C-alpha cells in the first residue's frame, strides 16, 4: 500500500520536490560529514591494530574483545540517549555526543595495557550511544517515509566515504608519524582523526534546527507544506509509545534482521585490513589504498539502490538482495584468503551488499514507528542489532586464534547475512513497508 502526498493539486509535486530538496541541502551535508567522522573514529582501531597489537601485547582474541566492547556500552545507553534527544532536541544532544566521543577516541592513544584498552572502548560506546539512531529519528522530523529512503542512503554514504578517505588517511598517518615525538603511528592515528569530531560538534550546535517549526529560514507556508506530508505518513504508524515498542514481536524481528546485517558490516570494518594483509601485502599505506576499491563500489551501489527503492516504493528486496550479495562475498573471501585478486572481488561484493543493505533496512521499521515510539524503537533496534558489533569481532578473533585462519569466522558472517535476508522475505509483510 503506497502513501500519496497530502499536498493539494494546486501546490504540485514540483513545488514539494523543490522544497524538500532545499531542506536536504540545508542539513544533509552536515549530517553526512558527522557520520563520516563518527564511523572513522569507531573503526580506525582496525588500522591501529596493525601496529598496536605488538605494543600492547594483545592476542587476536583480546583485540576482538576490545573492539567489540564498544558495542556493550552502546547497547546499554542507546535507548535512554535517544529518548533524551527526542526530549532535549537534536542540536544539543548530537553536539554533546560528538565532542565527548572525540575526547575518548583521542584518549585511546595513551592506553598501555589490555585493561585500559577495554575500558576506553567501552566508554567510547557509552559516549556515542544515540548518535546514529538520533540522526535517523531526526530525519523522521523532516522527511515523510516516501522521501526518506534516499536521505538515509545519503547519510549512510558516510560509511563507504569514511572507508574511501579513512583507509588511505589512516595508512598514511601510521606510516608518516611513527616515532614522531616518541609516539607510535597508531597513537597519532587516534589523536589526529578525533579532531574533526570536535569541530563538527560545535558546528552542529550552532547550525541544526530541532524541528520544522524552529526553522527561521522557512516561511509559515513552507513549514505547513512540509508538516502536511510528514503528518500524512505518520498517520499510518502503529507503534507510537515506548510500551508498544518493547512488547512488539515486529520490533524484535527488526532487531534480529539488523543483527545479521551488522555482523557483516563490522567484519568489513574491523577485519578488512587483516584480510588484505593475509594476501601478502604488508605496507599500511598500500593496504589503505586497496580498501578504497570496495568502498568506492559500495558508494555508487547504495545511492543507486536508494533512489530505485524510493521510486518503486519497494523495500523488502532492496534489503534482502544486497544482504545475499554480501553473504556471497564473504564466502569468496573465506575460500580464497591467500589470493589477492579473488579476495578483493569478495571484499567488494561484501562491501557493496552490506553498505547498501544497511540504509535500505531503515525503511522497514520507520514505516510503522512514530512519536516517542520512534525514539525508543529506532534506538532499541539499532542498539540490539549493533550488539553484532561486539559479537562479530569477538567471534572472528576467537575463531582465528583457535583455527589460525579467518575462514571459519567469515562463514559465520555469511550465514548471518543469509538468515537476515530469509527473515525479511518470509516474515515482513510487503503491505507494511512498501510505501
Amino acid at each position: 500500500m503506497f502513501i500519496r502526498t497530502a499536498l493539494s493539486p494546486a501546490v504540485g509535486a514540483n513545488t514539494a520536490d523543490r522544497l524538500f530538496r532545499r531542506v536536504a541541502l540545508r542539513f544533509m551535508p552536515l549530517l553526512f560529514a558527522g557520520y563520516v567522522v563518527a564511523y572513522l573514529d569507531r573503526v580506525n582501531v582496525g588500522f591501529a591494530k596493525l601496529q598496536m597489537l605488538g605494543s600492547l601485547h594483545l592476542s587476536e582474541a583480546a583485540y576482538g574483545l576490545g573492539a567489540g566492547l564498544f558495542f556493550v556500552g552502546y547497547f546499554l545507553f542507546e535507548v535512554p540517549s535517544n529518548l533524551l534527544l527526542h526530549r532535549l532536541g537534536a542540536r544539543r544532544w548530537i553536539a554533546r555526543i560528538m565532542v565527548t566521543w572525540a575526547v575518548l577516541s583521542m584518549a585511546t592513544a595513551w592506553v598501555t595495557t589490555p585493561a585500559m584498552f577495554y575500558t576506553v572502548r567501552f566508554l567510547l560506546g557509552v559516549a556515542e550511544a544515540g548518535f546514529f539512531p538520533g540522526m535517523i529519528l531526526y530525519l523522521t522530523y523532516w522527511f515523510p517515509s516516501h522521501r526518506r529512503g534516499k536521505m538515509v542512503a545519503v547519510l549512510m554514504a558516510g560509511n563507504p566515504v569514511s572507508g574511501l578517505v579513512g583507509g588511505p588517511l589512516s595508512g598514511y598517518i601510521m606510516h608518516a608519524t611513527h616515532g614522531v615525538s616518541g609516539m607510535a603511528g597508531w597513537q597519532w592515528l587516534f589523536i589526529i582523526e578525533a579532531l574533526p569530531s570536535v569541530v563538527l560538534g560545535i558546528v552542529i550546535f550552532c547550525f541544526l534546527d530541532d524541528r520544522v517549526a524552529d526553522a527561521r529560514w522557512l516561511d509559515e507556508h513552507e513549514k505547513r507544506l512540509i508538516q502536511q506530508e510528514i503528518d500524512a505518513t505518520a498517520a499510518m504508524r502503529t507503534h507510537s509509545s515506548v510500551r508498544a515498542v518493547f512488547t512488539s514481536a515486529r520490533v524484535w524481528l527488526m532487531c534480529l534482521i539488523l543483527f545479521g546485517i551488522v555482523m557483516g558490516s563490522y567484519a568489513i570494518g574491523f577485519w578488512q585490513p587483516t584480510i588484505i594483509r593475509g594476501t601478502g601485502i604488508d605496507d599500511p599505506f598500500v593496504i589503505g589504498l586497496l580498501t578504497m576499491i570496495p568502498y568506492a563500489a559500495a558508494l555508487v551501489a547504495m545511492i543507486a539502490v536508494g533512489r530505485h527503492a524510493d521510486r518503486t516504493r519497494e523495500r523488502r528486496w532492496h534489503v534482502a538482495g544486497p544482504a545475499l550479495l554480501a553473504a556471497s562475498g564473504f564466502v569468496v573471501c573465506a575460500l580464497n584468503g591467500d589470493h589477492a585478486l579473488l579476495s578483493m572481488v569478495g571484499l567488494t561484493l561484501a562491501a557493496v551488499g552490506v553498505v547498501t543493505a544497511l540504509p535500505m533496512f531503515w525503511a522497514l521499521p520507520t514505516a510503522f514507528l512514530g512519536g516517542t515510539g520512534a525514539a525508543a524503537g529506532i534506538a532499541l533496534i539499532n542498539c540490539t542489532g549493533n550488539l553484532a558489533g561486539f559479537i562479530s569481532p569477538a567471534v572472528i578473533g576467537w575463531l582465528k586464534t583457535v583455527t589460525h585462519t579467518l575462514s571459519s569466522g567469515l562463514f559465520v558472517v555469511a550465514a548471518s547475512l543469509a538468515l537476515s535476508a530469509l527473515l525479511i522475505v518470509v516474515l515482513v509483510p510487503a503491505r507494511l513497508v512498501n510505501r
Side-chain angles (χ1 to χ4, degrees):
M1 180 174 63
F2 296 157
I3 302 300
R4 303 300 181 188
T5 179
L7 299 180
S8 67
V11 174
N14 288 338
T15 300
D17 289 344
R18 285 195 299 270
L19 183 55
F20 279 100
R21 192 177 301 118
R22 184 180 167 199
V23 172
L25 289 173
R26 173 83 179 189
F27 292 133
M28 294 311 299
L30 183 57
L31 297 181
F32 169 80
Y35 192 70
V36 168
V37 299
Y39 198 81
L40 184 61
D41 283 348
R42 182 185 296 185
V43 302
N44 57 10
V45 68
F47 267 94
K49 168 184 180 288
L50 300 177
Q51 292 180 353
M52 71 186 297
L53 260 64
S55 298
L56 301 182
H57 307 291
L58 291 175
S59 67
E60 295 282 354
Y63 161 75
L65 174 61
L69 277 172
F70 169 94
F71 297 95
V72 177
Y74 199 80
F75 172 78
L76 293 175
F77 288 89
E78 182 133 326
V79 173
S81 179
N82 223 35
L83 290 172
L84 283 169
L85 182 147
H86 185 62
R87 180 175 180 179
L88 300 176
R91 181 177 65 89
R92 282 177 286 183
W93 199 247
I94 291 178
R96 190 282 305 165
I97 288 172
M98 294 192 72
V99 172
T100 53
W101 100 48
V103 171
L104 285 163
S105 182
M106 195 179 297
T108 312
W110 287 281
V111 301
T112 56
T113 65
M116 291 176 68
F117 177 57
Y118 299 155
T119 301
V120 77
R121 289 293 297 177
F122 173 81
L123 292 177
L124 187 63
V126 173
E128 193 183 324
F131 178 73
F132 174 73
M135 290 196 291
I136 295 295
L137 178 63
Y138 185 71
L139 292 180
T140 69
Y141 299 158
W142 284 92
F143 296 96
S145 59
H146 62 277
R147 297 182 185 274
R148 204 179 305 132
K150 184 167 64 176
M151 294 302 105
V152 175
V154 169
L155 172 66
M156 295 192 69
N159 182 327
V161 168
S162 177
L164 280 169
V165 176
L169 177 63
S170 297
Y172 176 76
I173 290 172
M174 291 173 62
H175 179 82
T177 62
H178 190 70
V180 174
S181 299
M183 295 173 64
W186 67 266
Q187 293 176 294
W188 282 112
L189 174 67
F190 287 117
I191 295 169
I192 293 171
E193 291 188 350
L195 296 175
S197 298
V198 177
V199 175
L200 278 171
I202 296 170
V203 173
I204 282 175
F205 181 79
C206 297
F207 192 77
L208 217 60
D209 294 306
D210 288 328
R211 302 275 185 159
V212 176
D214 301 325
R216 296 181 180 179
W217 47 277
L218 294 172
D219 62 34
E220 292 303 316
H221 178 64
E222 290 169 330
K223 292 178 184 179
R224 189 162 56 251
L225 295 183
I226 292 172
Q227 200 62 53
Q228 266 188 280
E229 281 212 21
I230 295 170
D231 291 345
T233 54
M236 301 300 297
R237 294 170 185 159
T238 58
H239 294 58
S240 58
S241 70
V242 175
R243 178 183 176 87
V245 164
F246 279 90
T247 58
S248 171
R250 186 170 290 158
V251 169
W252 290 106
L253 172 63
M254 294 295 155
C255 294
L256 184 58
I257 291 169
L258 182 61
F259 185 94
I261 298 172
V262 173
M263 284 286 289
S265 177
Y266 287 106
I268 293 173
F270 289 133
W271 294 96
Q272 182 173 225
T274 302
I275 292 171
I276 295 174
R277 187 171 66 175
T279 65
I281 299 168
D282 293 321
D283 190 310
F285 183 59
V286 175
I287 291 173
L289 290 176
L290 288 174
T291 63
M292 295 177 68
I293 297 172
Y295 283 119
L299 177 61
V300 174
M302 73 179 299
I303 297 298
V305 172
R307 288 177 175 174
H308 188 266
D310 276 358
R311 184 168 65 253
T312 62
R313 301 195 185 187
E314 196 290 323
R315 306 299 179 183
R316 298 187 309 156
W317 282 105
H318 284 83
V319 187
L324 291 172
L325 181 67
S328 69
F330 282 113
V331 170
V332 171
C333 288
L335 295 176
N336 301 278
D338 57 351
H339 193 292
L341 178 59
L342 290 178
S343 290
M344 288 305 301
V345 170
L347 281 172
T348 300
L349 292 175
V352 167
V354 167
V355 169
T356 301
L358 279 171
M360 295 304 99
F361 165 81
W362 286 104
L364 307 182
T366 55
F368 60 86
L369 292 170
T372 304
I378 291 170
L380 176 64
I381 293 166
N382 191 63
C383 71
T384 305
N386 270 282
L387 278 178
F390 171 73
I391 300 296
S392 180
V395 167
I396 294 174
W398 177 74
L399 287 172
K400 187 173 188 298
T401 299
V402 172
T403 66
H404 305 291
T405 176
L406 276 175
S407 296
S408 54
L410 296 180
F411 281 127
V412 170
V413 171
S416 300
L417 284 156
L419 177 60
S420 289
L422 181 65
L423 291 174
I424 292 168
V425 174
V426 174
L427 297 181
V428 178
R431 59 178 174 75
L432 177 70
V433 298
N434 287 351
R435 300 175 182 175

